[in-house]
Amino acid sequence: MTSTTNGTSVLVGIFADVRVQLTRYVYCPFFILGNIGNILNILVFSRESLRTSICSIYFLIMSIANFVSINIGLLTRILSTLDIPDPSRNVAWYCKGRAYISGLSLTIGRYFLCLITIDRVLMTSIHVTIRQLSSFKIAKWFIPIFCLSWAIFYIHTLIGYENNSSGTNCIRQAGFYSTFTTVCTISIDAIIPIIIMTIFTLLMMKHIRALRLRREKNIIVPVKQITTVGSHMRTTTINAISNQDGRSQESNIHSIERQREKQLTRLSFVQVLIYIIFNLPNAVYVVYMLIVTNEKKTADRSAIESFVSLFASILTYIYCTLNFYIYTLSSATYRAKTKQILRQCFNRRHLRIFPSQN
């Protein structure tokens, strides 16, 4: 049995110290790196050369949402752990506003990632009518309606969150509202996005294989003509030789496309896997808390649950800091674009410091 001092569990002090150390050496670095990464994401995807793709628009909106999430949701949790006054604990409008903005931005970030996986499926389809669904004409009305729908849905946080009677915490109301938010966390935050991303990633892989087979079939057809049409063999062979350079160029294009397909597949799988790792624990913990709500708890158990609750919720915000680094590690194209932007920024700064003299 854990010893106690003045009626307080030793675990309370241990976990309090662990939280402080995690904040200093894990959460704070992630917060800084996340801001840098999301700013670079916004710079990359807002470039005119990339705004020709619907996917890039989705990436841009997701990066903005993630930037808001870590500066509203993660920052206040870091400050409270370091004993810096958190206004959400005793200021009602800030408590409600933080719950609304952090919940909305997290959800928009999640579901724009889902839209990205859906758009990849549309773009890789062999059917023209399906590919046409990925268009700016549709996105112009879909994106505002999509964001507005979530903004209206999260109005419930403005009603359901409040400061506790002692004015020391910002909490959700007990009873029905607590159950409602638990169901939302399990379904909207975890199960639905994971199902959408998994299904559409598998569909994208199926489409990519179909495209590859179609290209290979188009390359093989002329060869079959050479071997089967005997009376025209001489003419066909000459045409094949005269088109050798063109076929070589086409082969290079297909090789580049295969590399891009591999990058896209790898990026999609990494995104789904990391999303599950960083978002599922919070949903599991919420289910656990719903089951044990009415149980009597010892001081040790309460200390453990408090620590796990904070850690699981912060994991969802840490996920928002990782996207830039996922793209950088998984995509050569993205690395090249980022290097180009950094080089341009450095050159502009260099010209301001050392202006050319005529």
Side-chain angles (χ1 to χ4, degrees):
M1 183 180 293
T2 306
S3 60
T4 58
T5 304
N6 295 329
T8 303
S9 169
V10 172
L11 281 179
V12 174
I14 293 173
F15 280 118
D17 184 61
V18 171
R19 280 199 297 268
V20 171
Q21 299 307 316
L22 281 174
T23 301
R24 287 176 178 171
Y25 302 111
V26 179
Y27 304 154
C28 284
F30 269 112
F31 174 76
I32 295 168
L33 291 173
N35 273 294
I36 294 171
N38 280 301
I39 289 171
L40 287 173
N41 271 346
I42 293 168
L43 291 175
V44 170
F45 291 116
S46 60
R47 290 178 66 83
E48 189 173 352
S49 59
L50 287 178
R51 288 204 305 269
T52 56
S53 166
I54 300 297
C55 239
S56 294
I57 302 298
Y58 291 160
F59 271 121
L60 176 61
I61 296 172
M62 185 180 72
S63 299
I64 294 171
N66 288 340
F67 179 78
V68 173
S69 293
I70 63 177
N71 283 283
I72 297 295
L74 181 58
L75 179 60
T76 52
R77 284 166 172 78
I78 290 174
L79 294 179
S80 62
T81 304
L82 296 176
D83 292 329
I84 298 173
D86 179 5
S88 68
R89 293 184 173 186
N90 48 36
V91 180
W93 66 266
Y94 189 86
C95 166
K96 295 174 181 292
R98 189 192 71 171
Y100 177 79
I101 295 173
S102 61
L104 176 61
S105 57
L106 278 172
T107 301
I108 286 178
R110 290 183 181 112
Y111 282 89
F112 268 94
L113 181 58
C114 293
L115 290 176
I116 289 166
T117 60
I118 294 171
D119 189 71
R120 287 170 181 163
V121 172
L122 300 179
M123 291 288 289
T124 54
S125 175
I126 61 175
H127 302 290
V128 177
T129 52
I130 294 178
R131 290 201 302 272
Q132 287 175 344
L133 293 175
S134 175
S135 68
F136 283 98
K137 184 177 180 180
I138 294 175
K140 279 182 181 178
W141 62 262
F142 177 76
I143 292 174
I145 292 175
F146 187 77
C147 293
L148 182 61
S149 298
W150 283 118
I152 293 172
F153 173 79
Y154 271 94
I155 287 176
H156 69 78
T157 58
L158 299 176
I159 303 168
Y161 276 79
E162 60 187 5
N163 301 109
N164 59 6
S165 56
S166 58
T168 58
N169 207 356
C170 176
I171 58 174
R172 59 191 179 191
Q173 295 175 9
F176 171 78
Y177 185 74
S178 180
T179 305
F180 169 75
T181 54
T182 298
V183 172
C184 289
T185 300
I186 298 167
S187 57
I188 295 174
D189 297 354
I191 295 175
I192 295 175
I194 289 171
I195 290 174
I196 291 174
M197 286 188 282
T198 302
I199 290 174
F200 282 92
T201 297
L202 295 174
L203 282 174
M204 182 200 68
M205 291 180 61
K206 181 181 177 182
H207 285 180
I208 287 175
R209 281 196 297 268
L211 287 171
R212 187 184 301 120
L213 291 172
R214 194 174 185 181
R215 283 199 304 265
E216 290 173 356
K217 183 179 178 181
N218 290 336
I219 293 172
I220 292 170
V221 166
V223 178
K224 287 184 177 178
Q225 289 177 344
I226 293 170
T227 55
T228 56
V229 188
S231 61
H232 297 287
M233 188 172 183
R234 177 184 176 86
T235 305
T236 310
T237 305
I238 292 172
N239 288 339
I241 293 171
S242 63
N243 291 332
Q244 187 173 359
D245 292 338
R247 286 182 186 168
S248 176
Q249 184 178 3
E250 185 179 357
S251 178
N252 290 334
I253 292 172
H254 291 328
S255 178
I256 293 171
E257 287 177 350
R258 281 195 295 272
Q259 290 297 323
R260 288 177 178 174
E261 289 167 0
K262 287 180 182 178
Q263 290 179 20
L264 182 59
T265 303
R266 183 169 60 246
L267 176 61
S268 299
F269 268 114
V270 170
Q271 282 179 326
V272 174
L273 180 62
I274 291 181
Y275 184 91
I276 292 171
I277 291 171
F278 283 87
N279 286 273
L280 196 57
N282 190 51
V284 172
Y285 176 78
V286 167
V287 173
Y288 164 79
M289 287 303 297
L290 183 64
I291 295 171
V292 302
T293 299
N294 298 321
E295 292 183 9
K296 292 183 178 180
K297 302 174 185 178
T298 63
D300 288 352
R301 183 175 173 181
S302 296
I304 294 170
E305 289 180 352
S306 177
F307 174 78
V308 173
S309 173
L310 179 65
F311 183 73
S313 63
I314 285 183
L315 279 181
T316 62
Y317 290 101
I318 288 179
Y319 170 78
C320 298
T321 70
L322 298 176
N323 283 311
F324 169 78
Y325 306 100
I326 295 172
Y327 308 148
T328 303
L329 293 173
S330 304
S331 172
T333 304
Y334 186 82
R335 286 196 297 271
K337 289 290 182 183
T338 305
K339 289 177 183 177
Q340 183 182 359
I341 286 178
L342 293 175
R343 198 178 298 115
Q344 288 177 352
C345 292
F346 176 79
N347 290 338
R348 288 175 184 173
R349 184 172 177 269
H350 182 76
L351 288 173
R352 284 197 297 269
I353 296 173
F354 302 106
S356 60
Q357 295 179 357
N358 297 324

